[in-house]
Amino acid sequence: MQRWREGLFQLLSGFWYWWSAELRGLLPASWRRRFSVMALVLRIEQPEDPQLVVLDHDEEAYRVALDSVPAPQLRQQLMQMARDAGHTLLQLDARSVLHKMLTLPAVTESRLESVLGFEMDRHTPFRADEVYYGYRVARRDSANQRILVDLYLLPRSRLDRLLQQLQNFGIVPTAVFPIDVITPSAFESQTLNLLPRQQRSSAGQQRQRSLRNRILLSVVLLALLAGFPLYERSQRVASLEAALEQPRSQAQRAQQVRAEIDTLVDGRQFLGRKKAAQVPALIILDELTRQLPDNTWLSRFELNGQVLRIQGESGSASSLIGLLEGSELLMTVDFTSPVTINPRSRRERFSIEARLETGAAAVIPTGPEVEAAP
């Protein structure tokens, strides 16, 4: 079960490093620098006279003798740098690490660590319990079903002494690699680590928490990458809306003013149309004066829209229908009640109703014609 967990962790770690590198490549340079993982790098050089070299951003910051007693100020400075970096990487001089290349069957790759530990005394002068060792698969020969393995090992007593000396400087490495191993991959960083197994196991939970945090960070980065174009578009739309707000309000105000003007004009034209469509009563009276004979007078004149009603007396009421139908302004002329005789005046009483001709307003005589009428 433990081996299965280690394999799963290595697989997920490899996927994380690949995916995070792809995501970082899509970010601006300033953001890539912000999210890059920094490590405090230490080097042990000159095995005969060990020198501790502290690198800060690939530049040498301090160089002191490893067996010296550090000044309190230097110790505090190194501890602060380690806390700020979060990771402390110890690189060992190639002359202090034994390196050997082994050719093994390909089927041993899945359990390579246990195979190397079991056959350590066959390939080196040491037993597995006398050394700390790391490995990586340098090449795979699929045709011959063989793998070429780089094996690095260091006597335990020597590395334990180095770690004890580093503690005097307030430094506890999180990984130990040979100096000639440059930027190992995610899987190799686990198998090449020469740090003692018990320290690695105590840091296992921290690595798992770190993996969870990295996965969470990758999700956040992915959400940012997906949402950033939408955010920029929304900001652009908001700025355009703000720029168009004033012209839009002016256009709306202009439309309101135009609507008010159209309403006023339509009201005025409505009155004009009503007036033009309605024949003035004076014109109708003038027309009746023209058409009715001199022996006829009116006692009642009523004009209701297009309907004209007149009552009066005449010497010959029966002739009035024909006279009124001859007018260009009247049509459908008829008696509304029987003709009767006024006993006192001996004239015929009549009650007539007529309708105005459609378009009668168009045939109204002009002012001079009216004035010229008898």
Side-chain angles (χ1 to χ4, degrees):
M1 180 63 69
Q2 181 66 25
R3 183 182 302 173
W4 181 84
R5 288 180 179 177
E6 289 290 334
L8 180 61
F9 177 77
Q10 292 170 359
L11 179 63
L12 292 177
S13 297
F15 173 75
W16 157 254
Y17 279 102
W18 169 80
W19 193 27
S20 60
E22 294 295 325
L23 290 178
R24 283 196 298 269
L26 299 176
L27 293 174
S30 60
W31 285 41
R32 287 199 299 270
R33 289 192 297 270
R34 183 177 302 177
F35 286 106
S36 61
V37 178
M38 304 300 297
L40 176 62
V41 179
L42 310 175
R43 287 181 181 174
I44 304 296
E45 299 180 355
Q46 303 176 9
E48 63 280 357
D49 183 19
Q51 297 288 312
L52 174 61
V53 180
V54 181
L55 301 180
D56 185 13
H57 296 84
D58 296 331
E59 295 183 359
E60 183 175 318
Y62 300 99
R63 177 185 288 269
V64 295
L66 186 60
D67 55 359
S68 63
V69 178
Q73 184 177 2
L74 175 61
R75 190 173 190 275
Q76 291 294 330
Q77 181 66 27
L78 294 178
M79 292 174 63
Q80 183 62 42
M81 292 174 65
R83 285 193 297 268
D84 293 341
H87 301 276
T88 302
L89 174 62
L90 176 61
Q91 296 179 337
L92 299 179
D93 191 286
R95 290 172 294 176
S96 62
V97 179
L98 176 61
H99 176 213
K100 189 171 184 178
M101 302 191 69
L102 306 177
T103 301
L104 298 173
V107 295
T108 63
E109 184 174 357
S110 60
R111 58 183 190 279
L112 194 54
E113 183 175 357
S114 59
V115 171
L116 292 174
F118 183 74
E119 297 189 355
M120 185 66 66
D121 55 353
R122 290 185 53 202
H123 301 289
T124 69
F126 305 98
R127 298 191 308 273
D129 58 355
E130 296 177 339
V131 295
Y132 296 122
Y133 63 94
Y135 63 91
R136 67 178 175 183
V137 178
R139 188 170 66 250
R140 294 175 176 83
D141 185 359
S142 301
N144 298 317
Q145 296 295 310
R146 311 290 288 181
I147 57 174
L148 185 63
V149 180
D150 280 327
L151 175 64
Y152 297 88
L153 56 96
L154 182 68
R156 293 194 175 195
S157 58
R158 183 177 305 173
L159 184 55
D160 289 341
R161 184 171 63 253
L162 291 177
L163 295 177
Q164 182 62 42
Q165 290 174 322
L166 289 176
Q167 287 183 0
N168 297 332
F169 288 84
I171 297 175
V172 178
T174 56
V176 179
F177 295 101
I179 198 171
D180 59 343
V181 179
I182 306 300
T183 60
S185 68
F187 180 76
E188 292 170 351
S189 67
Q190 303 301 318
T191 62
L192 280 174
N193 193 356
L194 298 176
L195 195 66
R197 177 61 60 181
Q198 62 273 17
Q199 296 188 23
R200 274 196 262 175
S201 61
S202 63
Q205 294 182 352
Q206 295 181 359
R207 293 201 304 270
Q208 293 178 2
R209 286 195 298 269
S210 176
L211 178 60
R212 288 195 297 268
N213 293 337
R214 290 171 179 176
I215 293 176
L216 179 60
L217 177 61
S218 66
V219 173
V220 173
L221 288 176
L222 187 61
L224 288 176
L225 289 174
F228 188 70
L230 297 178
Y231 173 76
E232 278 192 329
R233 183 174 299 178
S234 65
Q235 291 294 105
R236 178 61 177 166
V237 170
S239 63
L240 291 177
E241 288 287 344
L244 292 175
E245 184 62 30
Q246 183 175 1
R248 183 185 293 117
S249 61
Q250 293 176 352
Q252 292 177 350
R253 178 57 183 165
Q255 290 179 353
Q256 293 176 356
V257 173
R258 181 63 182 175
E260 293 175 359
I261 293 175
D262 291 342
T263 301
L264 294 175
V265 171
D266 186 66
R268 186 180 65 180
Q269 291 178 351
F270 173 78
L271 295 177
R273 288 193 299 268
K274 293 293 289 184
K275 183 178 180 180
Q278 180 67 42
V279 180
L282 291 178
I283 300 298
I284 301 300
L285 286 174
D286 179 71
E287 181 67 13
L288 292 177
T289 302
R290 292 169 180 272
Q291 300 297 331
L292 295 177
D294 294 339
N295 62 351
T296 302
W297 66 88
L298 299 179
S299 60
R300 182 179 179 185
F301 175 89
E302 179 183 348
L303 180 62
N304 187 6
Q306 297 294 104
V307 178
L308 172 65
R309 296 184 181 88
I310 56 176
Q311 293 178 358
E313 295 182 4
S314 175
S316 177
S318 58
S319 64
L320 299 181
I321 299 299
L323 294 174
L324 294 177
E325 284 184 343
S327 171
E328 296 180 352
L329 301 181
L330 302 175
M331 66 178 182
T332 319
V333 182
D334 199 1
F335 290 108
T336 59
S337 61
V339 176
T340 60
I341 301 297
N342 186 349
R344 296 179 59 184
S345 62
R346 308 306 296 173
R347 292 180 181 274
E348 298 178 352
R349 294 176 178 173
F350 63 87
S351 178
I352 298 176
E353 180 179 286
R355 299 185 63 84
L356 299 183
E357 283 279 0
T358 302
V363 296
I364 296 174
T366 58
E369 294 176 349
V370 174
E371 294 175 359

